[in-house]
Amino acid sequence: MNSRKKTTGAAAVSALLACSVALSGCSDNDVHVKVSDYSFDTAGNMFAYAEFELSGEPLAESLGVDLDVLDAGKIDQPTAFDYKAGIESYEYSEEAMYEVVEKSGLGLHLANGPATSLEAKAAGVANNELLASRFQHMADSVGQPAEDIQQNMFPTFIEYASGDPQYSQKVDTGKYADGEDGSYIPNYQIDFSSLRWNRDKMKKQLVPAAYGGTMLKQSLWAGDFLGNLHDAKSDEEVDASTAKEGPEADQGLKLGVSSVDGMQGMILTDEVWNKLLYVRDNLFYNASSKSIGALSGAFGGYLPHTIDVEEDGNKDFAGVKSLKVSDGRSLLQDQWLMLWPTSEFFGMTDQRPANPNRNPAFARVFDGDPFPAAPAVNTDADDGNDIASTDPYTVAHDVLLAVFDNVKNRHWNEKAGAFVTESDGDQQGAQVDTFQAGYTIEALRMFERAIDGLPVGYANGDAAEGLKTEQGAAAKDMIVKQADFMLNSLINKDGLAVTGYDTAKGEASKDTSLEAQIGAIRGLTSAFLVTEDEKYRDAARKLYVAMDEKLWDDDLKAYKTSGDEAKYDAFAAGGVSAVFRLALEHLKNTSGDADAPKALEQNAIQDRYVTFFKQVVNGPKLDEGMQASEFWDTGDVYKEGDDSGNTDGDTVPQIQKGHGDNGIAPILLPVEVSK
């Protein structure tokens, strides 16, 4: 659990950080990191920011960084690594999530979410009225004054595939309130209306990797924000295991790690619950009848790659008029980017009495107030007596097992011992993609932990005694076989991972790429964490050294992504961030290692992390780099009389001064690094 208190919204007025101007991210002027496309890819961004989050505060804290000494206004202090991980990587991740699920309007409004609609119908009120009262109730449960909830929010229950992140109207940077040391709170921080994206430029499609990737961000942050209690008077975090049975309010306690973070956790949880309910009851595809509908009516169904949305015309509370499947394939990337986040959310909602590892703070969130508890028959050991229910636990359980079954039935090639990238619903394809297979191993690791009742979220590495379920055992079996396939068939004579394998021809690709190394390192490290078999760690270490030796370009200060090119999209950037984290947590040299390559010394890995982040993510200049803009959480505070749009003096502009006539959202854009 984080010790550095995050502050968000109106309640943060008194805690706005001061800023000291500094220069950061400078590099050789001959090297450019130019943006190649200004469209926003939801799946890639949300995936990358999930990895940035895990490679942020949790990583820094695990390495002994005192989070309380970090100051967003003091760039690269106390060290460049501490700042890049503990401030920039972490806060970029949080800002982008809110941009998508609360500000941009990039999806369907939570007022039309299925859980919202059911409650509104039962109460006999309009959906938007019910949602407003629900937000007020959630605010009370965490001790946040209802008047501090941001205005003109656009909470989404499911998100679209892409959109235009360049603002179509002027961002309201006028002063809302004074901050500290001459800074002020801008209006847009309190009122989100000027942050809407252009709906006409949104790709209004439901793609599992996009809404699943967003759910990954939501679930990780919700788990962080609601993973403990806090004192109602002091707002200080309180260990939930020390609370007595009975209502927390009677003990002077409130839900969430703080009032502000708790409220965000509540909103995120409500969004995920509505998303999963909508997915379960509307989006499963029957390949034989070529129809979509409820999971219960599509036995053996799956989530198709693309569903086109025709909206109902309501600009304030966008809802669905009709849905149409435009691509009925089952793609592995869609499936693992649903399996991982649903596992995370299931771990939060888990109410099985047999699970001894349940977080007591989560138990209070899903005990009936503010979120419904599951029927007792749905949480016992007998799946045969389950009943239909719309509660968060039951919905997460239903979707989780359906996605897992699809991965096992449509993408697992038992003969090869590997996952194939696609299925048309009836027939498997023949291609194994190393990146996708590696991340499927990680998603299965999280599935096994969740279904077996082991800690997930930031605690996903914690040891515990699990429930040893049949599904968990099946997941472990596939993990081991896919990892062995990587060792035996996907590493070439140069020690690099190849991009893939053709199961029909029985041939591995001759090509290598940065993403192939990422996928192999990710998958093999996950296999090591599951099995504790050192052969997987040894192989991942060797791959990391080979990647660093053969793909790193000292002139570009970046890894080459393919051949002599260094073209980064969000998936590549997120994967690099993950590999650095895994290297620092599990692969770095220890006294027990027979060899100690320099690339795996902790300082060397941290140097790579900092260099890559400065060069590729932040960029060497204000108009270069993947991170399009930044908010005050990373030090770019607003000061009266300062129109620079860059008050912290780094290489990332404030949102209103970024790319475009009216600025750009704080998200990742694809770049090419070149001399």
Side-chain angles (χ1 to χ4, degrees):
M1 184 55 58
N2 308 329
S3 59
R4 184 169 68 87
K5 182 72 64 75
K6 292 180 288 295
T7 50
T8 310
V13 171
S14 62
L16 194 69
L17 297 174
C19 158
S20 62
V21 176
L23 291 176
S24 172
C26 299
S27 74
D28 188 334
N29 289 333
D30 291 336
V31 178
H32 296 283
V33 187
K34 292 186 176 180
V35 174
S36 53
D37 184 0
Y38 283 98
S39 62
F40 173 81
D41 172 44
T42 306
N45 264 259
M46 295 295 96
F47 159 80
Y49 282 125
E51 295 289 27
F52 280 20
E53 175 185 350
L54 296 171
S55 297
E57 276 192 7
L59 173 62
E61 195 168 29
S62 74
L63 296 175
V65 176
D66 180 359
L67 300 177
D68 289 329
V69 307
L70 299 178
D71 185 331
K74 297 180 179 178
I75 293 176
D76 289 348
Q77 299 298 320
T79 73
F81 173 79
D82 296 348
Y83 186 85
K84 291 289 178 286
I87 296 287
E88 288 188 334
S89 184
Y90 197 66
E91 301 298 355
Y92 287 166
S93 168
E94 186 176 15
E95 290 170 13
M97 174 184 66
Y98 293 141
E99 189 74 25
V100 171
V101 305
E102 291 184 1
K103 302 174 182 179
S104 65
L106 187 67
L108 298 169
H109 200 287
L110 185 60
N112 295 310
T116 308
S117 299
L118 286 170
E119 289 188 32
K121 184 177 180 180
V125 299
N127 284 25
N128 61 313
E129 292 178 16
L130 186 285
L131 186 61
S133 64
R134 180 152 181 74
F135 270 38
Q136 291 175 344
H137 182 68
M138 291 191 296
D140 181 66
S141 73
V142 299
Q144 185 183 43
E147 58 267 24
D148 284 351
I149 300 173
Q150 282 90 348
Q151 302 165 21
N152 291 303
M153 191 184 295
F154 194 118
T156 50
F157 76 85
I158 197 162
E159 296 73 33
Y160 290 147
S162 65
D164 182 357
Q166 294 178 309
Y167 295 120
S168 57
Q169 66 282 318
K170 184 178 180 180
V171 176
D172 187 355
T173 59
K175 185 169 78 171
Y176 172 80
D178 289 321
E180 295 180 354
D181 299 325
S183 66
Y184 70 88
I185 306 293
N187 287 327
Y188 79 78
Q189 185 177 324
I190 308 304
D191 184 340
F192 294 165
S193 58
S194 69
L195 303 179
R196 294 286 188 273
W197 295 8
N198 188 333
R199 297 198 74 77
D200 292 336
K201 294 184 178 181
M202 294 177 184
K203 186 176 286 186
K204 296 172 184 174
Q205 296 179 324
L206 301 181
V207 174
Y211 59 77
T214 307
M215 181 165 58
L216 179 58
K217 289 291 306 123
Q218 292 167 308
S219 298
L220 287 171
W221 281 103
D224 182 24
F225 290 158
L226 298 177
N228 236 337
L229 304 176
H230 68 275
D231 185 275
K233 291 184 178 179
S234 69
D235 208 36
E236 291 299 315
E237 188 171 346
V238 174
D239 187 343
S241 65
T242 65
K244 301 174 183 178
E245 291 188 13
E248 53 275 355
D250 293 349
Q251 305 172 58
L253 301 173
K254 291 288 185 178
L255 299 176
V257 298
S258 70
S259 59
V260 172
D261 287 346
M263 184 60 195
Q264 291 294 351
M266 288 291 165
I267 295 172
L268 294 169
T269 299
D270 204 48
E271 291 170 338
V272 173
W273 174 31
N274 277 269
K275 191 197 314 282
L276 284 172
L277 187 53
Y278 190 76
V279 167
R280 186 192 71 175
D281 292 348
N282 296 275
L283 302 186
F284 275 84
Y285 186 57
N286 185 316
S288 58
S289 65
K290 300 194 182 306
S291 61
I292 51 171
L295 169 61
S296 59
F299 181 76
Y302 60 92
L303 298 175
H305 179 52
T306 309
I307 296 175
D308 296 335
V309 177
E310 182 183 2
E311 292 186 348
D312 60 7
N314 190 327
K315 292 185 178 180
D316 294 323
F317 306 103
V320 173
K321 179 179 179 181
S322 66
L323 300 173
K324 179 183 178 181
V325 176
S326 56
D327 188 339
R329 292 176 299 162
S330 177
L331 297 189
L332 186 59
Q333 179 168 280
D334 288 332
Q335 306 310 314
W336 68 256
L337 263 172
M338 276 297 294
L339 187 66
W340 181 0
T342 310
S343 299
E344 298 282 2
F345 191 68
F346 180 77
M348 285 182 63
T349 66
D350 194 353
Q351 295 161 45
R352 293 173 293 178
N355 180 8
N357 304 309
R358 192 176 180 208
N359 182 324
F362 295 155
R364 291 177 177 272
V365 173
F366 299 100
D367 63 358
D369 185 17
F371 293 98
V377 293
N378 289 7
T379 64
D380 63 19
D382 181 9
D383 288 343
N385 66 359
D386 288 1
I387 60 174
S389 178
T390 59
D391 69 274
Y393 167 84
T394 301
V395 175
H397 183 259
D398 290 347
V399 174
L400 181 64
L401 292 186
V403 175
F404 173 71
D405 285 346
N406 187 53
V407 169
K408 184 173 61 173
N409 295 332
R410 288 191 172 85
H411 293 277
W412 177 246
N413 183 321
E414 177 66 33
K415 183 178 179 181
F419 293 101
V420 297
T421 58
E422 70 175 76
S423 165
D424 64 6
D426 295 318
Q427 299 294 321
Q428 282 188 355
Q431 296 301 315
V432 176
D433 180 283
T434 306
F435 179 84
Q436 303 297 343
Y439 265 95
T440 302
I441 291 179
E442 172 61 8
L444 284 169
R445 182 178 79 89
M446 298 310 300
F447 168 81
E448 184 273 324
R449 291 190 68 87
I451 204 68
D452 282 354
L454 300 171
V456 292
Y458 292 177
N460 72 78
D462 292 357
E465 188 65 28
L467 299 179
K468 296 181 170 58
T469 65
E470 180 182 342
Q471 296 98 333
K476 284 184 178 180
D477 181 64
M478 289 186 285
I479 286 171
V480 169
K481 289 177 179 176
Q482 175 66 82
D484 287 343
F485 182 87
M486 284 182 168
L487 291 179
N488 298 327
S489 302
L490 294 180
I491 299 176
N492 66 19
K493 63 181 184 343
D494 294 326
L496 291 171
V498 296
T499 57
Y501 189 94
D502 187 322
T503 60
K505 296 179 179 178
E507 293 178 358
S509 168
K510 293 180 172 56
D511 300 326
T512 63
S513 68
L514 177 61
E515 283 197 355
Q517 315 317 308
I518 291 167
I521 293 169
R522 196 72 163 96
L524 291 169
T525 306
S526 296
F528 164 67
L529 295 175
V530 170
T531 65
E532 298 184 349
D533 189 330
E534 290 288 339
K535 74 177 181 181
Y536 300 123
R537 178 177 179 270
D538 291 343
R541 279 167 51 83
K542 290 177 182 177
L543 276 168
Y544 181 93
V545 172
M547 175 188 75
D548 201 66
E549 176 186 334
K550 300 178 188 300
L551 300 188
W552 182 261
D553 188 306
D554 274 327
D555 291 332
L556 299 181
K557 295 183 172 63
Y559 292 108
K560 293 178 179 177
T561 53
S562 180
D564 288 330
E565 294 181 338
K567 295 180 178 180
Y568 284 86
D569 62 9
F571 277 104
V576 170
S577 174
V579 164
F580 288 145
R581 180 178 76 253
L582 297 179
L584 287 167
E585 290 180 333
H586 307 294
L587 306 180
K588 66 185 177 186
N589 297 330
T590 67
S591 58
D593 290 318
D595 59 340
K598 290 183 179 179
L600 283 171
E601 290 294 333
Q602 179 168 322
N603 288 341
I605 303 167
Q606 288 178 318
D607 285 346
R608 281 282 188 263
Y609 182 118
V610 170
T611 301
F612 178 84
F613 208 91
K614 283 185 175 182
Q615 182 77 336
V616 178
V617 178
N618 286 351
K621 301 175 183 177
L622 276 172
D623 61 348
E624 296 186 2
M626 298 188 74
Q627 185 67 32
S629 66
E630 66 180 349
F631 189 33
W632 69 271
D633 283 326
T634 47
D636 227 329
V637 299
Y638 288 80
K639 295 185 175 183
E640 293 185 72
D642 189 332
D643 190 43
S644 67
N646 186 29
T647 58
D648 59 0
D650 65 4
T651 60
V652 181
Q654 292 175 341
I655 65 172
Q656 79 282 357
K657 290 288 188 177
H659 315 249
D661 293 339
N662 296 300
I664 192 169
I667 49 82
L668 294 172
L669 297 168
V671 298
E672 180 172 7
V673 187
S674 62
K675 288 185 72 71

Coordinates of all heavy atoms in Angstrom, one line a residue, residues 140 202 277 320 323-324 341 422 433-434 446 521 532 535 553-554 590 597:
D140 N -20.4 9.7 0.8 CA -20.6 9.6 2.2 C -19.9 8.4 2.8 O -19.3 8.4 3.9 CB -22.1 9.5 2.5 CG -22.4 9.3 4.0 OD1 -22.1 10.3 4.7 OD2 -22.9 8.2 4.4
M202 N -14.5 10.0 -32.9 CA -14.3 8.8 -32.1 C -14.6 7.6 -33.0 O -15.6 7.6 -33.8 CB -15.2 8.7 -30.9 CG -14.9 9.8 -29.8 SD -16.0 9.8 -28.4 CE -15.4 11.2 -27.5
L277 N -21.2 -6.2 -16.3 CA -22.6 -6.6 -16.4 C -23.0 -6.4 -17.9 O -23.7 -7.2 -18.4 CB -23.4 -5.7 -15.5 CG -24.9 -6.1 -15.3 CD1 -25.1 -7.6 -15.0 CD2 -25.5 -5.2 -14.2
V320 N -26.7 3.4 -26.2 CA -26.7 2.6 -27.4 C -28.1 2.6 -28.0 O -29.1 2.4 -27.4 CB -26.3 1.2 -27.0 CG1 -26.5 0.2 -28.2 CG2 -24.9 1.1 -26.5
L323 N -26.3 -2.4 -31.9 CA -24.9 -3.0 -32.0 C -24.9 -3.9 -33.2 O -25.8 -4.6 -33.5 CB -24.7 -3.8 -30.7 CG -24.7 -3.0 -29.3 CD1 -24.5 -4.0 -28.2 CD2 -23.6 -2.0 -29.3
K324 N -23.7 -3.9 -33.8 CA -23.5 -4.8 -34.9 C -22.1 -5.3 -34.9 O -21.1 -4.6 -34.8 CB -23.7 -4.0 -36.2 CG -23.6 -4.9 -37.5 CD -23.8 -4.0 -38.8 CE -23.5 -4.9 -40.0 NZ -23.7 -4.1 -41.3
P341 N -7.6 -8.1 -16.4 CA -8.3 -7.2 -15.6 C -9.5 -7.8 -14.8 O -9.8 -7.4 -13.7 CB -8.8 -6.1 -16.5 CG -8.8 -6.7 -17.9 CD -7.7 -7.7 -17.9
E422 N -5.3 -16.2 -33.2 CA -6.7 -15.9 -33.6 C -7.5 -17.2 -33.9 O -6.9 -18.3 -34.2 CB -6.8 -15.0 -34.8 CG -6.4 -15.5 -36.1 CD -6.6 -14.5 -37.2 OE1 -5.9 -13.5 -37.3 OE2 -7.6 -14.7 -38.0
D433 N 2.3 -15.8 -31.8 CA 3.0 -14.5 -31.7 C 3.7 -14.4 -30.3 O 3.0 -14.6 -29.3 CB 2.1 -13.3 -31.9 CG 2.7 -12.0 -31.8 OD1 3.0 -11.5 -30.7 OD2 2.9 -11.4 -32.9
T434 N 5.0 -14.2 -30.3 CA 5.7 -14.3 -29.1 C 5.3 -13.3 -28.0 O 5.1 -13.6 -26.8 CB 7.2 -14.1 -29.3 OG1 7.6 -15.1 -30.3 CG2 8.1 -14.3 -28.1
M446 N -2.3 -14.2 -13.4 CA -3.2 -13.5 -12.6 C -4.5 -14.2 -12.4 O -5.2 -14.1 -11.4 CB -3.4 -12.1 -13.2 CG -2.2 -11.2 -13.3 SD -1.2 -11.1 -11.8 CE -2.5 -10.4 -10.7
I521 N 10.5 -12.4 -22.3 CA 10.9 -12.1 -20.9 C 9.7 -12.1 -20.0 O 9.8 -12.6 -18.9 CB 11.7 -10.8 -20.9 CG1 13.0 -10.9 -21.7 CG2 12.0 -10.3 -19.5 CD1 13.7 -9.6 -21.9
E532 N 8.4 -21.4 -9.7 CA 9.7 -21.2 -8.9 C 10.8 -22.1 -9.5 O 11.8 -22.4 -8.9 CB 9.5 -21.6 -7.4 CG 8.5 -20.6 -6.7 CD 8.4 -20.9 -5.2 OE1 8.9 -21.9 -4.8 OE2 7.8 -20.1 -4.5
K535 N 15.0 -22.5 -14.2 CA 15.3 -22.5 -15.6 C 14.6 -21.3 -16.3 O 15.1 -20.8 -17.3 CB 15.0 -23.8 -16.2 CG 13.5 -24.1 -16.5 CD 13.3 -25.4 -17.2 CE 11.8 -25.7 -17.5 NZ 11.6 -27.0 -18.1
D553 N 20.6 1.0 -28.7 CA 21.4 1.9 -29.6 C 21.8 3.1 -28.7 O 21.0 3.9 -28.3 CB 20.6 2.4 -30.8 CG 21.4 3.2 -31.8 OD1 22.0 4.2 -31.4 OD2 21.3 2.8 -33.0
D554 N 23.1 3.2 -28.5 CA 23.6 4.3 -27.6 C 23.4 5.7 -28.2 O 23.2 6.7 -27.5 CB 25.1 4.1 -27.3 CG 25.4 3.2 -26.1 OD1 24.6 3.2 -25.2 OD2 26.4 2.5 -26.2
T590 N 22.1 -11.5 -8.2 CA 22.1 -11.7 -6.8 C 23.3 -12.6 -6.4 O 24.0 -13.1 -7.3 CB 20.8 -12.5 -6.3 OG1 20.9 -13.8 -6.9 CG2 19.6 -11.8 -6.8
P597 N 26.2 -10.6 -15.3 CA 26.4 -9.7 -16.4 C 26.1 -8.2 -15.9 O 25.2 -8.0 -15.1 CB 25.4 -10.1 -17.4 CG 24.4 -11.0 -16.7 CD 25.1 -11.6 -15.5

